[in-house]
Amino acid sequence: METETKVYTRYSILTEDINRIGIVHLCREHKLDCTLYEGVRLFGGSIKPSLTIVHLAPLEANAKEEVKALARDIKAINRQKEVWITEETVTLKKLLD
């Protein structure tokens, strides 16, 4: 089986899972294709709902500034103290039939 390989940057925004509809609207405003993953955050004895927004961008897309702008907007509308961004290079392999 053949594969097609591409190198992308995976950006993840880590935030609390509050106001999800507002976050979806912001993702659309910033024109970022993304996937939202809900989870549970455990920190310092507290349990809170969490949300991870993942955007995959080709290396040449230089999407960092738009991802940072989205994270700032999420932080503002949800009145959060912290919103985190991770950035990593990943290799995508598409299986070809």
Side-chain angles (χ1 to χ4, degrees), residues 44-62:
S46 296
I47 301 171
K48 293 187 176 184
S50 66
L51 190 65
T52 302
I53 300 120
V54 176
H55 171 67
L56 293 170
L59 291 178
E60 65 275 5
N62 196 17

Side-chain angles (χ1 to χ4, degrees), residues 26-38:
L26 287 175
C27 292
R28 286 180 172 167
E29 276 181 31
H30 287 273
K31 296 182 172 62
L32 287 178
D33 296 332
C34 56
T35 302
L36 282 66
Y37 297 97
E38 63 180 76

Side-chain angles (χ1 to χ4, degrees), residues 10-21:
R10 177 174 51 205
Y11 297 95
S12 297
I13 299 172
L14 311 170
T15 186
E16 288 185 60
D17 191 358
I18 52 177
N19 188 19
R20 194 181 306 183
I21 297 299

Side-chain angles (χ1 to χ4, degrees), residues 48-86:
K48 293 187 176 184
S50 66
L51 190 65
T52 302
I53 300 120
V54 176
H55 171 67
L56 293 170
L59 291 178
E60 65 275 5
N62 196 17
K64 182 186 283 191
E65 292 306 315
E66 198 61 43
V67 171
K68 287 167 70 174
L70 172 59
R72 280 192 296 271
D73 287 350
I74 291 170
K75 182 178 177 184
I77 67 164
N78 288 342
R79 297 182 188 93
Q80 292 182 254
K81 288 193 281 186
E82 296 178 346
V83 171
W84 292 83
I85 300 171
T86 65

